[in-house]
Amino acid sequence: MRQIEADTITQAVERLCMEANYFLGQDVVDALEQSLKREESPTGQQILRDILENARIGREELSPICQDTGFTIAFVELGQEAEVVGGSLDEAITKGVAQGYTKGYLRASIVQDPLRRINTKDNTPPVIHVEVVPGDRLRLTVMCKGSGCENMSRFAMLTPAQGRKGVVNFVVETVLKGGGRPCPPLIVGVGLGGTFDQATYIAKRSLLRPVGSHHTEAHIKELEEELFEKVNATGVGPQAWGGRTTALAVHVETYPCHIASLPVAVNIECHSHRLKTTIL
Amino acid sequence: MPEEIIHIKAPIDEKTVLGLRAGQKVLFDGVFYTARDSSHKRLVELIEQGKPLPIDLQGQVIYYVGPTPARPGQVIGSAGPTTSSRMDPYMEPLYKKGLKGTVGKGERSQEVIDLMKRYKAVHFSNIGGAAALVARSIRKCDMIAFEDLGTEAIHRLEVEDFFAIVAYDTLGNDMYKEAIKIWGKEESRIQ
């Protein structure tokens, strides 16, 4: 068994939290630049330029690109021939979040109890997803998920008869209902199939793909392209001030599902897509 | 199109409020107070209990923001807008106290649009997620009330050339609905 120190994980999480919040990914920057070429609304163009300028300031001044530095979600792929030593995996990640948010001047946005609502003051706890995979490495992805967009996410149990058309309508309706609240241009993550829990999980996982990359299955790639066209035809545009750029990308992930079901989850992500990965 | 942008002062006078129209781009100079979910809840509780408020809302503009902590030497951290509609349930008591403007992101409920008509107030939107850029137009930040709420505490901001767009005016005009009418295409209709 290959051993990985808990402290190494803590340090990695601390660093990834800061980097995710200061440095907008090149895939998002490229998608913004592409959309700027297509955008017809002068106001929409100005918003896209401001978003790119904001990313430049974040990068150069180590400033959080969004004041909502998000709920920290850790996606861990733990090789089954690796073991974490010197502490628990959950504690190591949680400590990394606390350190990253405190040292990095990131906002503490988490309340301990959903009803009593007292701030935990260091953005802990994170949400942690662990998958055990072949190999002896630990792949760690940190997503800092803003709640303006998370709040506009939706789920539906469609019927098999509603099929592909039902899915398309539900996704477009979700984007229209969200309007300007989730800060378009968006990255729309769709989870199709599985169970109630699995659909929402794969919707979120789809956001880990490079922005604008496509599903490997041809018919799902076509669905992504159709959704992208339709979402951008809504006219919502940057910040819902009107225009052609409502989404930078639509990602769809699927999972087998029950003969009675067609679950669909739409996880909305904003242009301020904070995501960083490392391999330990 | 910079020639369309007008400068306005905060707090806002009645004449300016009445003259603003949805879609008008503005640059604010003056004073904003910050407040979001928890501080709104407290303000409205104080009003319901008949207690004095920590700020006089007459003519004021509230900016819906919870900034990141300032680094040493910074006035404020990143400071973009939060979602306006979460404050919808708290609006009427604040308008009754003289609040004239709010700044945030995204649409508001029809109920709030109607309240703005009744109480002669306007709502502005600025660019969500451009928080490091927005912070550059904030020159001063002072703690005013509810310090225990951390980022949700009420701060007094001095702003200069703070960019926003009129989203809803005192006549009930709606910039968001107009945008969809202008830019929406037939193929996006739900079938």
Side-chain angles (χ1 to χ4, degrees):
Chain A
M1 291 290 260
R2 183 170 166 266
Q3 296 193 327
I4 300 170
E5 289 287 337
D7 194 46
T8 307
I9 297 169
T10 297
Q11 285 170 29
V13 171
E14 175 188 315
R15 177 174 60 82
L16 295 178
C17 288
M18 291 194 236
E19 289 180 359
N21 276 294
Y22 307 149
F23 310 135
L24 186 63
Q26 191 58 45
D27 54 339
V28 189
V29 172
D30 290 346
L32 285 162
E33 280 170 353
Q34 282 301 315
S35 64
L36 184 53
K37 288 178 195 159
R38 284 192 306 266
E39 182 54 65
E40 295 166 32
S41 154
T43 300
Q45 289 169 1
Q46 186 56 50
I47 293 169
L48 294 169
R49 279 195 291 270
D50 281 355
I51 290 170
L52 285 163
E53 169 67 2
N54 185 68
R56 190 191 62 76
I57 297 170
R59 199 163 55 236
E60 289 179 6
E61 298 182 5
L62 306 185
S63 294
I65 52 176
C66 181
Q67 80 290 337
D68 181 0
T69 51
F71 208 132
T72 318
I73 308 168
F75 293 87
V76 179
E77 288 177 26
L78 179 62
Q80 60 193 18
E81 291 155 51
E83 66 172 329
V84 176
V85 295
S88 86
L89 176 62
D90 274 30
E91 281 168 8
I93 294 170
T94 303
K95 196 174 163 194
V97 171
Q99 289 177 189
Y101 275 68
T102 308
K103 291 182 193 170
Y105 294 89
L106 305 177
R107 194 179 83 180
S109 309
I110 305 302
V111 292
Q112 182 60 44
D113 180 286
L115 297 177
R116 291 180 176 158
R117 305 197 76 82
I118 307 296
N119 198 304
T120 63
K121 297 201 158 61
D122 60 7
N123 219 52
T124 62
V127 168
I128 303 172
H129 298 292
V130 182
E131 285 185 18
V132 177
V133 299
D136 65 357
R137 314 294 283 190
L138 187 154
R139 185 183 166 91
L140 175 66
T141 298
V142 167
M143 175 187 274
C144 304
K145 186 70 170 68
S147 259
C149 50
E150 191 74 356
N151 286 345
M152 295 301 123
S153 302
R154 286 166 84 224
F155 175 84
M157 281 293 186
L158 301 181
T159 61
Q162 286 173 288
R164 190 179 187 279
K165 189 168 149 186
V167 171
V168 171
N169 283 347
F170 185 72
V171 174
V172 174
E173 186 185 88
T174 299
V175 170
L176 278 169
K177 272 183 189 285
R181 297 172 190 90
C183 287
L186 310 171
I187 301 153
V188 182
V190 181
L192 209 52
T195 47
F196 181 75
D197 50 323
Q198 184 70 355
T200 52
Y201 176 61
I202 61 176
K204 179 140 277 127
R205 272 202 67 111
S206 79
L207 299 174
L208 305 189
R209 282 169 30 191
V211 171
S213 62
H214 281 296
H215 198 277
T216 49
E217 278 190 73
H219 80 110
I220 301 300
K221 175 175 184 275
E222 277 169 32
L223 177 63
E224 289 174 337
E225 287 168 345
E226 182 182 340
L227 286 169
F228 183 72
E229 288 302 316
K230 287 223 159 108
V231 163
N232 284 324
T234 56
V236 169
Q239 298 296 308
W241 297 9
R244 295 281 162 248
T245 317
T246 306
L248 298 173
V250 180
H251 294 176
V252 180
E253 288 294 316
T254 64
Y255 199 82
C257 68
H258 192 279
I259 49 173
S261 301
L262 178 52
V264 53
V266 184
N267 195 193
I268 300 289
E269 169 71 318
C270 60
H271 60 80
S272 195
H273 179 46
R274 277 89 30 104
L275 187 73
K276 290 288 177 239
T277 298
T278 194
I279 295 170
L280 301 174
Chain B
M1 283 169 275
E3 64 277 11
E4 291 176 7
I5 304 181
I6 59 166
H7 276 266
I8 60 173
K9 297 255 181 266
I12 330 183
D13 60 68
E14 176 112 358
K15 185 165 170 270
T16 307
V17 169
L18 294 174
L20 289 169
R21 290 293 169 266
Q24 172 70 56
K25 290 169 189 164
V26 303
L27 290 170
F28 272 107
D29 296 311
V31 172
F32 286 169
Y33 286 99
T34 70
R36 45 172 294 155
D37 309 61
S38 298
S39 32
H40 272 76
K41 185 163 182 275
R42 285 204 191 167
L43 287 173
V44 170
E45 280 168 0
L46 288 173
I47 293 171
E48 283 168 355
Q49 292 160 7
K51 291 180 180 163
L53 295 181
I55 47 175
D56 177 3
L57 288 175
Q58 196 62 50
Q60 297 296 343
V61 178
I62 288 181
Y63 180 29
Y64 301 143
V65 62
T68 60
R71 286 181 188 272
Q74 276 185 324
V75 168
I76 194 168
S78 297
T82 195
T83 308
S84 308
S85 58
R86 286 201 319 275
M87 270 44 85
D88 286 355
Y90 303 112
M91 294 315 293
E92 186 159 20
L94 303 183
Y95 287 137
K96 280 185 177 166
K97 290 283 178 188
L99 180 71
K100 283 291 162 198
T102 44
V103 185
K105 68 172 160 96
E107 299 81 347
R108 309 213 65 158
S109 65
Q110 188 57 50
E111 192 191 350
V112 172
I113 298 170
D114 293 340
L115 288 173
M116 283 188 263
K117 281 167 74 176
R118 191 181 322 153
Y119 292 99
K120 303 295 174 220
V122 276
H123 177 70
F124 303 84
S125 293
N126 66 334
I127 302 176
L133 182 64
V134 172
R136 293 191 161 183
S137 50
I138 299 169
R139 303 293 181 202
K140 201 161 181 282
C141 172
D142 293 307
M143 162 71 59
I144 297 294
F146 311 147
E147 190 166 5
D148 61 301
L149 294 179
T151 187
E152 298 205 62
I154 294 181
H155 290 83
R156 180 182 183 278
L157 305 183
E158 287 183 19
V159 302
E160 204 176 290
D161 292 339
F162 183 105
F163 174 72
I165 192 166
V166 180
Y168 306 99
D169 60 30
T170 54
L171 302 178
N173 292 310
D174 180 339
M175 181 264 293
Y176 289 105
K177 270 196 188 137
E178 282 304 307
I180 292 276
K181 272 191 218 157
I182 295 167
W183 294 97
K185 288 180 180 173
E186 189 61 35
E187 61 257 41
S188 71
R189 293 281 150 76
I190 309 274
Q191 293 159 358

